[in-house]
Amino acid sequence: MEEPSEDKLFVAEKSKSNRAKCKKCKEVLNQGALRIAKVVANPFGDGKMMAWHHPQCLVTVFSKQRASTAKITCVDDIGGWDGLSMEHQNEILMTFPDIPKEKLKTHDDEEPGKKDTPNKKKPKAKPVPSSPPTQDYYFKDFRKLCLSLSQENSHLQKTAIFKEFIDKILSKEHSNETRAESMFLWCKMLLPNSEKRIYNLQSKQLIKLYSQLFKQNVNLMLEDLEKGDVAETIRIFFEKSNNVDVKPASKSTLTLAKVNSFLDKLSIETTEVAQTALFKSIAKLCTGNDLKMIIRLVMHDLRINCGPKFILGALHSDAYEAYQTSHDLKSVVQNACSCDSSKIASNGKMNIKLSLLTPILPMLAEPCKNLDDFFKKCPNGIYSEIKYDGERVQLHKSETQFKFFSRSLKPVLGHKVDLFKQYIPKAFQHGKEIILDCEVLMYDHKTNKPLPFGTLGIHKKSKFEDANPCLFVFDCMYYNGVSLLDRTIVERRKILMQNMTPIKGHIMFSEVKELHNTKELKLMVEHVLKQGLEGLVLKDLTGVYEPGKRHWQKIKKDYLFDGSMADSADLVVLGAWFGTGNKGGMMSIFLMGCYNEAKKKWCTVTKVHGGHDDKTLERLQGELKMIKISKDPEKVPEWLKCTKTMIPDFVAEDPKKMPVWEISGAEFSQAEVHTANGISIRFPRVTKIRNDKDWKTATSLTELQNLYEASKETNNLSIFSNLSPEKNTSSDNDLQSSPEKRNKIKRTLETAVTESSPLKMNTEIPVKRAKLSDERRRRLPDLFTGIRVVVPDSISKNTFLRYFIAYGGTPLNSSNELAPTHVIVQKKEHNRSSEKPMKEEKKEKKKSLNATAVCAQWFWDSIRKGTQLPTENYQ
């Protein structure tokens, strides 16, 4: 087995014999021909080996590999270049035309006159002024600090612990400059997400890498990883290492600077060989706990539950606010540690400004659940803005340079935003330096409407030939050298309107309306939900842009009336996954599904991990009868129809014996990864464990399909019926508005079940606040459990079905084998002469021989009263 002669990622040479074969085409590499090797890790032992290729085969390999994987970019990447003949060098240059020729330097090009002579004196280099040395800090002190922070629950106390710690250790520094440098190093390490070093290493990749370093069984390490802590798994197997060259150190001698340097190098390396070499070099200096903490730094999770607000709060009272604005940790720390009064504003706040091409934390919105009190906070009025169901994007433009950042401040994928670079200069003809807050969606040019969430994916975009990404701009934070953060939303919007020329379907304004009272707001909410849009964002007219703060408000359907308008279904637990972090090693994420009666298969609907408290989760570990399959496709039972991405760690022993849970969410949605006709629930959570139901009475696939279709019928939705132009009346005195009933839901629903005799009815559903317990209260009682009805076709059939199913009823198809318990008829219909043929009438009577005939009013009155009323008065 050959070892590479140089520390290069690629090696080129003349083939020495006819024994080696190309790793790509498997053909023999003829003696004397040019061959190029990729230097890879030796899978059979320590060290490296060379995987030889024909030059053209290596080009094919490069075209199919990831963008982050190393390629030949210049001749310096190739080991053995100087030993090649000119013929082979030219062959490489022709095969890889992207290699810069100006870097070309071979033994044939050397000029004797250029060589250094012993008598020739070299000019003396000018000394570079060096910064004062900082104090060396041991990595074990960092570990001890993290342990102290993790054991403290109070965030204020965490700040106090860090402040006491830095006052103690930084007292050794002799100048403000070294103090700031050391403080930046500590903050950088404690906040691994602030200085975002990207390693592209996931838990299973680390396990595979370290199993080779430690010479341990990778399957055993993966099994231990199921406990949810990759750092702890690596520590355990590090202490059992079978590799004599990689053993834990007896004493921790690592310094904080050494670890920081290692992380900087790791963020640059992209090949597995280079990453393995780095991990091996640092492991030799580590104890088990040292390596565990380094892995947590790589995973960007120290598990100390202490973010920038509480770390930076120990430096200066305004440090966190300055960091939110600038997102420049080094500048914030330097200003906080400086005693120069010129760097502190006259009002006592740190003078830190936003920086172009550096992302700032976006301003956020909190849920608005009470519309009546909203204008008490905003007496001057609000902007009501359409909440677009897309992806939040922060756009930075500096002359011809563009940068796009996501809500989490990561770079946005190019296929979503590259198109905008040609339109932004046209939309902002005079804007040289801009920072915009936007939402990017797919825009359909046929319907002139944005497409729903999830269509921006690179594979899904190809399905929409008449659509392209569109940027909806709703705020401007910086324009031509002037920060607009301290301007009101009215001023910012005015600047945006004056300087932006919209381009239909590419760069557009967000839709905004100015409101001044609750009635206007309720009508706007109703209008938006009727259109099937996600909701509204409300902004105070006098409000400024505050990065990172939730001072806007958002309204969505599932926020209204204490969540009673959320879409929900009663689903069966089909499987589970291991959790991570504190829930590692236990089932905490659950696969929910429904039964397909036609195909006798169970279908997946959603995976849910919210809604259970710790005690309930602990109890479920013993109650749920599961079989461990570890995401193995071959072990998926025949009764489960499941896509590859949804294969869980555990599946139910018998789905018909599993519990039924009520799952609520923002809306029913389409998700290709699920098999219930693609129906899923967005933002799911468990709202109740349905001990009163089993798999037979849980939501079936047919019922789920009806619920999905009914949820999309929003044209006749009237949430705030008392605000509609034509107010409905009722004979019941208890429907009159009163202070005690202002929080009740009021809807106007068209409840006709026959086209010839439409009936209109107000339905009022009192809402009670759900208590947090193991079994939460069901917001909609099961009034119609056991009642089966065949619903005749009408214009309001979907509305009727939605409420009937939500209150526990079972709709039947005409082909269903089960007999109905009730038949919907017009009032007093049995006293009127029938115009139907005798044969058809006899057929219907035979089918509903034991069914009770009622008019639709019985259902709506029962819902309004909250109990199942006697049917005598409705026949």
Side-chain angles (χ1 to χ4, degrees):
M1 191 164 294
E2 298 177 79
E3 290 286 340
S5 57
E6 299 182 50
D7 187 18
K8 301 284 187 179
L9 298 178
F10 302 93
V11 175
E13 68 176 27
K14 181 172 69 173
S15 185
K16 300 172 184 176
S17 67
N18 292 325
R19 291 180 299 173
K21 293 184 179 180
C22 175
K23 293 294 181 183
K24 172 64 179 171
C25 67
K26 309 302 180 185
E27 296 293 331
V28 174
L29 293 162
N30 295 324
Q31 184 177 4
L34 175 66
R35 63 179 184 177
I36 305 176
K38 289 183 68 175
V39 181
V40 297
N42 188 344
F44 307 105
D46 294 334
K48 304 173 185 177
M49 62 176 288
M50 290 182 282
W52 294 107
H53 295 77
H54 291 109
Q56 198 58 47
C57 290
L58 193 59
V59 173
T60 305
V61 171
F62 287 164
S63 67
K64 295 181 179 181
Q65 70 186 18
R66 295 180 180 178
S68 59
T69 306
K71 299 180 181 180
I72 297 176
T73 57
C74 64
V75 297
D76 294 335
D77 295 338
I78 306 173
W81 172 263
D82 291 341
L84 295 175
S85 65
M86 284 295 295
E87 180 184 354
H88 285 160
Q89 288 181 359
N90 288 329
E91 184 179 348
I92 290 176
L93 293 175
M94 291 179 67
T95 307
F96 303 95
D98 293 335
I99 294 180
K101 290 183 173 56
E102 61 268 16
K103 293 186 178 181
L104 180 62
K105 182 180 179 182
T106 71
H107 58 287
D108 295 319
D109 298 321
E110 291 178 356
E111 299 178 17
K114 296 285 184 179
K115 292 183 179 179
D116 292 333
T117 59
N119 297 328
K120 189 172 181 179
K121 294 183 179 180
K122 295 181 180 180
K124 293 183 179 180
K126 295 182 180 180
V128 179
S130 59
S131 57
T134 58
Q135 189 77 21
D136 279 337
Y137 299 102
Y138 284 110
F139 190 59
K140 63 182 179 182
D141 294 328
F142 176 77
R143 288 195 289 105
K144 290 177 182 177
L145 175 61
C146 290
L147 180 62
S148 300
L149 293 173
S150 65
Q151 292 174 341
E152 179 58 54
N153 293 325
S154 168
H155 284 99
L156 292 177
Q157 194 59 35
K158 287 178 189 283
T159 301
I161 290 173
F162 184 53
K163 185 171 180 61
E164 182 183 353
F165 180 82
I166 60 176
D167 288 343
K168 180 180 177 181
I169 64 169
L170 295 183
S171 60
K172 301 175 183 178
E173 300 291 350
H174 302 293
S175 68
N176 288 331
E177 186 178 351
T178 59
R179 178 183 173 86
E181 285 294 326
S182 297
M183 193 67 258
F184 172 61
L185 177 60
W186 279 96
C187 290
K188 183 180 180 179
M189 300 296 280
L190 284 169
L191 302 171
N193 283 309
S194 60
E195 294 285 313
K196 196 70 174 179
R197 291 182 277 209
I198 300 173
Y199 310 109
N200 292 320
L201 288 167
Q202 302 302 321
S203 298
K204 289 187 177 180
Q205 291 173 284
L206 288 170
I207 291 296
K208 179 184 175 183
L209 188 150
Y210 274 105
S211 68
Q212 296 173 358
L213 277 181
F214 302 156
K215 295 184 177 179
Q216 293 282 348
N217 189 316
V218 65
N219 293 325
L220 290 177
M221 293 186 72
L222 288 172
E223 187 176 345
D224 192 83
L225 179 63
E226 292 174 350
K227 297 177 182 178
D229 190 347
V230 62
E232 179 63 15
T233 296
I234 290 174
R235 182 197 68 79
I236 292 171
F237 284 86
F238 181 37
E239 294 177 351
K240 300 177 183 177
S241 175
N242 294 323
N243 190 346
V244 292
D245 295 330
V246 185
K247 287 282 188 181
S250 57
K251 185 179 179 181
S252 178
T253 57
L254 268 180
T255 63
L256 202 60
K258 180 83 174 175
V259 175
N260 181 57
S261 175
F262 160 76
L263 294 173
D264 282 338
K265 292 177 182 177
L266 186 64
S267 65
I268 298 172
E269 298 296 347
T270 57
T271 64
E272 187 177 323
V273 173
Q275 290 170 340
T276 303
L278 274 174
F279 277 116
K280 184 176 181 179
S281 66
I282 198 72
K284 293 178 180 179
L285 306 174
C286 292
T287 63
N289 287 327
D290 284 341
L291 187 57
K292 176 181 176 178
M293 189 55 69
I294 288 173
I295 297 301
R296 287 190 173 171
L297 284 166
V298 171
M299 299 302 293
H300 297 109
D301 183 12
L302 297 178
R303 299 200 176 189
I304 58 176
N305 193 24
C306 191
K309 182 176 181 179
F310 306 102
I311 295 296
L312 297 178
L315 306 184
H316 192 282
S317 58
D318 297 318
Y320 178 60
E321 186 176 345
Y323 175 70
Q324 286 181 302
T325 302
S326 66
H327 204 65
D328 187 345
L329 183 63
K330 190 168 187 176
S331 296
V332 171
V333 171
Q334 287 175 344
N335 277 265
C337 294
S338 175
C339 295
D340 187 355
S341 59
S342 64
K343 292 184 180 181
I344 306 295
S346 57
N347 58 3
K349 292 189 176 183
M350 296 178 65
N351 189 17
I352 300 284
K353 296 181 180 179
L354 60 81
S355 177
L356 197 63
L357 304 179
T358 300
I360 64 175
L361 287 173
M363 191 168 175
L364 304 173
E366 63 178 359
C368 177
K369 299 181 180 180
N370 189 348
L371 304 186
D372 294 322
D373 297 334
F374 184 76
F375 282 93
K376 293 179 181 179
K377 301 177 183 178
C378 308
N380 297 308
I382 61 170
Y383 272 158
S384 169
E385 193 169 75
I386 298 296
K387 188 178 190 305
Y388 293 100
D389 197 9
E391 294 184 28
R392 185 92 171 259
V393 169
Q394 188 178 120
L395 162 64
H396 290 241
K397 176 183 182 292
S398 177
E399 299 291 347
T400 58
Q401 187 176 2
F402 297 89
K403 283 194 176 182
F404 299 86
F405 301 99
S406 67
R407 186 177 181 274
S408 57
L409 308 185
K410 296 178 182 178
V412 180
L413 294 175
H415 72 269
K416 298 179 180 179
V417 293
D418 284 345
L419 183 69
F420 301 134
K421 294 179 182 179
Q422 59 179 301
Y423 293 104
I424 291 170
K426 299 175 183 177
F428 295 90
Q429 297 179 7
H430 305 290
K432 296 182 178 180
E433 297 179 340
I434 313 170
I435 300 179
L436 301 174
D437 213 347
C438 325
E439 196 88 8
V440 59
L441 303 92
M442 288 290 287
Y443 186 87
D444 193 331
H445 289 276
K446 276 191 174 180
T447 62
N448 290 326
K449 291 182 179 180
L451 295 175
F453 179 80
T455 53
L456 265 173
I458 191 167
H459 299 294
K460 293 185 179 180
K461 280 172 61 179
S462 59
K463 298 179 181 179
F464 305 98
E465 297 179 355
D466 300 311
N468 59 260
C470 179
L471 202 66
F472 286 86
V473 183
F474 58 83
D475 217 328
C476 181
M477 296 92 83
Y478 188 88
Y479 192 81
N480 286 352
V482 180
S483 172
L484 306 179
L485 296 183
D486 57 349
R487 309 283 184 93
T488 65
I489 182 65
V490 176
E491 294 177 274
R492 299 198 306 273
R493 186 78 184 184
K494 184 178 180 181
I495 291 171
L496 190 60
M497 298 286 286
Q498 290 174 344
N499 293 281
M500 174 178 151
T501 304
I503 302 173
K504 186 177 179 181
H506 298 286
I507 311 288
M508 300 175 68
F509 290 114
S510 62
E511 188 177 338
V512 175
K513 186 175 182 181
E514 187 174 330
L515 305 177
H516 290 276
N517 58 62
T518 305
K519 182 178 179 180
E520 290 179 344
L521 175 58
K522 289 183 177 181
L523 289 174
M524 186 68 181
V525 170
E526 193 170 288
H527 170 73
V528 166
L529 296 184
K530 278 184 178 181
Q531 300 300 315
L533 300 173
E534 187 181 11
L536 293 173
V537 178
L538 310 179
K539 304 176 181 180
D540 188 354
L541 293 181
T542 60
V544 298
Y545 196 98
E546 300 173 274
K549 295 188 177 178
R550 291 186 178 272
H551 288 176
W552 292 338
Q553 302 251 326
K554 57 184 176 181
I555 299 174
K556 295 167 69 175
K557 182 178 70 172
D558 54 314
Y559 296 161
L560 298 173
F561 309 116
D562 201 24
S564 62
M565 288 191 66
D567 289 332
S568 65
D570 295 325
L571 304 176
V572 177
V573 182
L574 301 180
W577 287 268
F578 283 114
T580 56
N582 295 330
K583 294 182 175 66
M586 64 189 302
M587 297 180 292
S588 62
I589 306 170
F590 300 96
L591 180 64
M592 309 301 298
C594 63
Y595 189 60
N596 184 344
E597 298 174 359
K599 296 186 178 180
K600 308 299 180 185
K601 290 269 189 179
W602 289 87
C603 306
T604 66
V605 177
T606 187
K607 57 191 294 189
V608 62
H609 58 83
H612 291 311
D613 56 27
D614 292 340
K615 289 184 179 180
T616 305
L617 273 178
E618 188 177 348
R619 192 185 75 238
L620 289 172
Q621 306 306 307
E623 290 182 358
L624 298 177
K625 303 301 180 184
M626 296 280 194
I627 300 172
K628 186 177 179 182
I629 63 170
S630 300
K631 301 176 185 174
D632 187 349
E634 295 181 358
K635 295 181 180 180
V636 175
E638 292 184 1
W639 53 260
L640 178 61
K641 185 181 179 183
C642 181
T643 59
K644 188 175 180 180
T645 54
M646 283 292 118
I647 299 175
D649 293 319
F650 299 87
V651 292
E653 283 186 4
D654 184 355
K656 295 183 179 180
K657 296 180 180 179
M658 296 301 285
V660 178
W661 296 347
E662 180 186 311
I663 308 297
S664 299
E667 63 176 346
F668 288 113
S669 61
Q670 282 287 328
E672 294 179 358
V673 295
H674 290 292
T675 55
N677 293 343
I679 300 173
S680 186
I681 299 177
R682 197 171 176 196
F683 306 129
R685 59 191 181 276
V686 181
T687 48
K688 187 180 180 183
I689 296 177
R690 298 303 308 273
N691 292 325
D692 58 326
K693 286 199 171 190
D694 59 11
W695 73 276
K696 293 181 181 178
T697 53
T699 304
S700 67
L701 179 59
T702 303
E703 293 169 338
L704 185 69
Q705 185 72 46
N706 290 336
L707 284 172
Y708 174 79
E709 293 172 359
S711 70
K712 303 306 176 185
E713 291 290 334
T714 57
N715 292 333
N716 295 324
L717 183 65
S718 182
I719 304 172
F720 308 101
S721 58
N722 57 320
L723 295 176
S724 58
E726 296 180 2
K727 294 186 179 180
N728 297 297
T729 60
S730 174
S731 58
D732 295 333
N733 294 328
D734 60 351
L735 291 181
Q736 298 297 323
S737 60
S738 63
E740 293 79 19
K741 296 181 180 178
R742 284 176 184 168
N743 292 329
K744 292 185 177 180
I745 301 176
K746 296 184 179 180
R747 301 173 185 244
T748 301
L749 296 169
E750 186 182 62
T751 61
V753 292
T754 58
E755 294 183 5
S756 59
S757 179
L759 300 172
K760 291 187 178 181
M761 180 67 193
N762 279 345
T763 176
E764 192 173 87
I765 308 168
V767 178
K768 296 183 179 179
R769 187 173 296 277
K771 296 181 179 179
L772 296 176
S773 61
D774 289 350
E775 295 185 5
R776 302 185 179 192
R777 288 184 182 273
R778 180 175 172 84
R779 294 185 175 91
L780 299 178
D782 291 324
L783 298 180
F784 306 124
T785 300
I787 294 180
R788 300 185 297 274
V789 172
V790 176
V791 183
D793 291 334
S794 72
I795 58 174
S796 55
K797 177 179 178 178
N798 287 333
T799 303
F800 178 86
L801 279 174
R802 184 177 183 184
Y803 282 87
F804 180 59
I805 296 171
Y807 282 89
T810 304
L812 300 178
N813 296 323
S814 57
S815 60
N816 202 297
E817 295 179 358
L818 295 174
T821 59
H822 291 68
V823 177
I824 300 177
V825 296
Q826 296 184 33
K827 198 168 184 178
K828 305 298 182 183
E829 181 181 358
H830 56 279
N831 290 334
R832 295 200 299 249
S833 59
S834 175
E835 297 178 1
K836 296 181 180 180
M838 188 63 68
K839 289 184 180 180
E840 186 179 346
E841 190 177 75
K842 286 182 179 180
K843 187 177 179 182
E844 289 188 4
K845 284 183 179 180
K846 184 177 180 182
K847 187 175 180 180
S848 57
L849 185 62
N850 298 320
T852 303
V854 293
C855 63
Q857 194 74 25
W858 174 71
F859 291 95
W860 297 114
D861 285 357
S862 295
I863 290 173
R864 181 168 57 84
K865 297 295 185 181
T867 184
Q868 195 177 123
L869 299 175
T871 59
E872 287 79 7
N873 298 328
Y874 298 90
Q875 294 181 343

PDB file of all heavy atoms in Angstrom, residues 190-204:
ATOM      1  N   LEU A 190     -17.681  31.260  24.890  1.00  0.00           N
ATOM      2  CA  LEU A 190     -18.938  31.033  25.612  1.00  0.00           C
ATOM      3  C   LEU A 190     -20.155  31.197  24.710  1.00  0.00           C
ATOM      4  O   LEU A 190     -21.231  30.685  25.019  1.00  0.00           O
ATOM      5  CB  LEU A 190     -19.048  31.985  26.802  1.00  0.00           C
ATOM      6  CG  LEU A 190     -18.194  31.650  28.028  1.00  0.00           C
ATOM      7  CD1 LEU A 190     -18.195  32.806  29.012  1.00  0.00           C
ATOM      8  CD2 LEU A 190     -18.683  30.377  28.709  1.00  0.00           C
ATOM      9  N   LEU A 191     -19.981  31.907  23.616  1.00  0.00           N
ATOM     10  CA  LEU A 191     -21.097  32.146  22.682  1.00  0.00           C
ATOM     11  C   LEU A 191     -20.711  31.598  21.310  1.00  0.00           C
ATOM     12  O   LEU A 191     -20.431  32.356  20.373  1.00  0.00           O
ATOM     13  CB  LEU A 191     -21.405  33.648  22.591  1.00  0.00           C
ATOM     14  CG  LEU A 191     -21.761  34.334  23.912  1.00  0.00           C
ATOM     15  CD1 LEU A 191     -21.823  35.844  23.727  1.00  0.00           C
ATOM     16  CD2 LEU A 191     -23.085  33.806  24.446  1.00  0.00           C
ATOM     17  N   PRO A 192     -20.668  30.277  21.159  1.00  0.00           N
ATOM     18  CA  PRO A 192     -20.197  29.692  19.885  1.00  0.00           C
ATOM     19  C   PRO A 192     -21.074  30.031  18.691  1.00  0.00           C
ATOM     20  O   PRO A 192     -20.633  29.908  17.557  1.00  0.00           O
ATOM     21  CB  PRO A 192     -20.211  28.187  20.172  1.00  0.00           C
ATOM     22  CG  PRO A 192     -21.149  28.001  21.319  1.00  0.00           C
ATOM     23  CD  PRO A 192     -21.058  29.239  22.139  1.00  0.00           C
ATOM     24  N   ASN A 193     -22.307  30.477  18.928  1.00  0.00           N
ATOM     25  CA  ASN A 193     -23.191  30.842  17.810  1.00  0.00           C
ATOM     26  C   ASN A 193     -22.999  32.289  17.367  1.00  0.00           C
ATOM     27  O   ASN A 193     -23.518  32.685  16.328  1.00  0.00           O
ATOM     28  CB  ASN A 193     -24.648  30.629  18.203  1.00  0.00           C
ATOM     29  CG  ASN A 193     -25.034  29.163  18.177  1.00  0.00           C
ATOM     30  OD1 ASN A 193     -24.795  28.469  17.200  1.00  0.00           O
ATOM     31  ND2 ASN A 193     -25.588  28.666  19.268  1.00  0.00           N
ATOM     32  N   SER A 194     -22.299  33.089  18.163  1.00  0.00           N
ATOM     33  CA  SER A 194     -22.133  34.500  17.818  1.00  0.00           C
ATOM     34  C   SER A 194     -21.109  34.684  16.700  1.00  0.00           C
ATOM     35  O   SER A 194     -21.353  35.368  15.719  1.00  0.00           O
ATOM     36  CB  SER A 194     -21.712  35.297  19.049  1.00  0.00           C
ATOM     37  OG  SER A 194     -20.485  34.792  19.551  1.00  0.00           O
ATOM     38  N   GLU A 195     -19.952  34.057  16.871  1.00  0.00           N
ATOM     39  CA  GLU A 195     -18.948  34.049  15.808  1.00  0.00           C
ATOM     40  C   GLU A 195     -19.132  32.740  15.060  1.00  0.00           C
ATOM     41  O   GLU A 195     -18.508  31.740  15.387  1.00  0.00           O
ATOM     42  CB  GLU A 195     -17.541  34.156  16.416  1.00  0.00           C
ATOM     43  CG  GLU A 195     -17.257  35.477  17.100  1.00  0.00           C
ATOM     44  CD  GLU A 195     -17.027  36.596  16.102  1.00  0.00           C
ATOM     45  OE1 GLU A 195     -16.256  36.388  15.155  1.00  0.00           O
ATOM     46  OE2 GLU A 195     -17.645  37.659  16.261  1.00  0.00           O
ATOM     47  N   LYS A 196     -20.005  32.741  14.080  1.00  0.00           N
ATOM     48  CA  LYS A 196     -20.480  31.490  13.476  1.00  0.00           C
ATOM     49  C   LYS A 196     -19.392  30.838  12.635  1.00  0.00           C
ATOM     50  O   LYS A 196     -19.240  31.132  11.445  1.00  0.00           O
ATOM     51  CB  LYS A 196     -21.720  31.760  12.629  1.00  0.00           C
ATOM     52  CG  LYS A 196     -22.499  30.506  12.296  1.00  0.00           C
ATOM     53  CD  LYS A 196     -23.194  29.916  13.496  1.00  0.00           C
ATOM     54  CE  LYS A 196     -24.082  28.748  13.126  1.00  0.00           C
ATOM     55  NZ  LYS A 196     -24.743  28.144  14.265  1.00  0.00           N
ATOM     56  N   ARG A 197     -18.624  29.950  13.266  1.00  0.00           N
ATOM     57  CA  ARG A 197     -17.675  29.138  12.520  1.00  0.00           C
ATOM     58  C   ARG A 197     -18.411  27.881  12.038  1.00  0.00           C
ATOM     59  O   ARG A 197     -19.023  27.181  12.833  1.00  0.00           O
ATOM     60  CB  ARG A 197     -16.489  28.758  13.408  1.00  0.00           C
ATOM     61  CG  ARG A 197     -15.627  29.952  13.751  1.00  0.00           C
ATOM     62  CD  ARG A 197     -14.425  29.583  14.576  1.00  0.00           C
ATOM     63  NE  ARG A 197     -14.716  29.487  15.994  1.00  0.00           N
ATOM     64  CZ  ARG A 197     -13.835  29.715  16.964  1.00  0.00           C
ATOM     65  NH1 ARG A 197     -12.601  30.075  16.668  1.00  0.00           N
ATOM     66  NH2 ARG A 197     -14.167  29.587  18.224  1.00  0.00           N
ATOM     67  N   ILE A 198     -18.326  27.618  10.757  1.00  0.00           N
ATOM     68  CA  ILE A 198     -19.066  26.504  10.165  1.00  0.00           C
ATOM     69  C   ILE A 198     -18.116  25.332   9.953  1.00  0.00           C
ATOM     70  O   ILE A 198     -17.068  25.472   9.324  1.00  0.00           O
ATOM     71  CB  ILE A 198     -19.710  26.927   8.833  1.00  0.00           C
ATOM     72  CG1 ILE A 198     -20.678  28.090   9.065  1.00  0.00           C
ATOM     73  CG2 ILE A 198     -20.432  25.760   8.177  1.00  0.00           C
ATOM     74  CD1 ILE A 198     -21.240  28.703   7.804  1.00  0.00           C
ATOM     75  N   TYR A 199     -18.507  24.165  10.490  1.00  0.00           N
ATOM     76  CA  TYR A 199     -17.654  22.980  10.402  1.00  0.00           C
ATOM     77  C   TYR A 199     -18.242  21.898   9.489  1.00  0.00           C
ATOM     78  O   TYR A 199     -17.518  20.987   9.088  1.00  0.00           O
ATOM     79  CB  TYR A 199     -17.448  22.382  11.800  1.00  0.00           C
ATOM     80  CG  TYR A 199     -17.019  23.392  12.837  1.00  0.00           C
ATOM     81  CD1 TYR A 199     -17.888  23.806  13.850  1.00  0.00           C
ATOM     82  CD2 TYR A 199     -15.744  23.955  12.814  1.00  0.00           C
ATOM     83  CE1 TYR A 199     -17.510  24.731  14.799  1.00  0.00           C
ATOM     84  CE2 TYR A 199     -15.357  24.887  13.758  1.00  0.00           C
ATOM     85  CZ  TYR A 199     -16.246  25.279  14.752  1.00  0.00           C
ATOM     86  OH  TYR A 199     -15.860  26.202  15.682  1.00  0.00           O
ATOM     87  N   ASN A 200     -19.535  21.987   9.198  1.00  0.00           N
ATOM     88  CA  ASN A 200     -20.207  20.971   8.368  1.00  0.00           C
ATOM     89  C   ASN A 200     -19.989  19.565   8.908  1.00  0.00           C
ATOM     90  O   ASN A 200     -19.695  18.625   8.169  1.00  0.00           O
ATOM     91  CB  ASN A 200     -19.712  21.053   6.912  1.00  0.00           C
ATOM     92  CG  ASN A 200     -20.136  22.318   6.222  1.00  0.00           C
ATOM     93  OD1 ASN A 200     -21.258  22.777   6.399  1.00  0.00           O
ATOM     94  ND2 ASN A 200     -19.250  22.919   5.453  1.00  0.00           N
ATOM     95  N   LEU A 201     -20.112  19.421  10.207  1.00  0.00           N
ATOM     96  CA  LEU A 201     -19.944  18.124  10.866  1.00  0.00           C
ATOM     97  C   LEU A 201     -21.177  17.840  11.715  1.00  0.00           C
ATOM     98  O   LEU A 201     -21.483  18.600  12.632  1.00  0.00           O
ATOM     99  CB  LEU A 201     -18.691  18.126  11.750  1.00  0.00           C
ATOM    100  CG  LEU A 201     -17.348  18.112  11.011  1.00  0.00           C
ATOM    101  CD1 LEU A 201     -16.211  18.432  11.965  1.00  0.00           C
ATOM    102  CD2 LEU A 201     -17.112  16.765  10.343  1.00  0.00           C
ATOM    103  N   GLN A 202     -21.870  16.757  11.400  1.00  0.00           N
ATOM    104  CA  GLN A 202     -23.023  16.337  12.181  1.00  0.00           C
ATOM    105  C   GLN A 202     -22.618  15.217  13.134  1.00  0.00           C
ATOM    106  O   GLN A 202     -21.514  14.671  13.063  1.00  0.00           O
ATOM    107  CB  GLN A 202     -24.149  15.878  11.253  1.00  0.00           C
ATOM    108  CG  GLN A 202     -24.595  16.928  10.257  1.00  0.00           C
ATOM    109  CD  GLN A 202     -25.076  18.208  10.908  1.00  0.00           C
ATOM    110  OE1 GLN A 202     -25.749  18.185  11.934  1.00  0.00           O
ATOM    111  NE2 GLN A 202     -24.726  19.343  10.322  1.00  0.00           N
ATOM    112  N   SER A 203     -23.548  14.860  14.017  1.00  0.00           N
ATOM    113  CA  SER A 203     -23.240  13.891  15.069  1.00  0.00           C
ATOM    114  C   SER A 203     -22.719  12.569  14.509  1.00  0.00           C
ATOM    115  O   SER A 203     -21.694  12.044  14.963  1.00  0.00           O
ATOM    116  CB  SER A 203     -24.481  13.641  15.927  1.00  0.00           C
ATOM    117  OG  SER A 203     -24.890  14.816  16.574  1.00  0.00           O
ATOM    118  N   LYS A 204     -23.399  12.009  13.502  1.00  0.00           N
ATOM    119  CA  LYS A 204     -22.995  10.707  12.975  1.00  0.00           C
ATOM    120  C   LYS A 204     -21.669  10.777  12.231  1.00  0.00           C
ATOM    121  O   LYS A 204     -20.898   9.803  12.219  1.00  0.00           O
ATOM    122  CB  LYS A 204     -24.092  10.152  12.067  1.00  0.00           C
ATOM    123  CG  LYS A 204     -25.336   9.711  12.830  1.00  0.00           C
ATOM    124  CD  LYS A 204     -26.331   9.003  11.938  1.00  0.00           C
ATOM    125  CE  LYS A 204     -27.527   8.521  12.740  1.00  0.00           C
ATOM    126  NZ  LYS A 204     -28.522   7.819  11.903  1.00  0.00           N
TER     127      LYS A 204
END
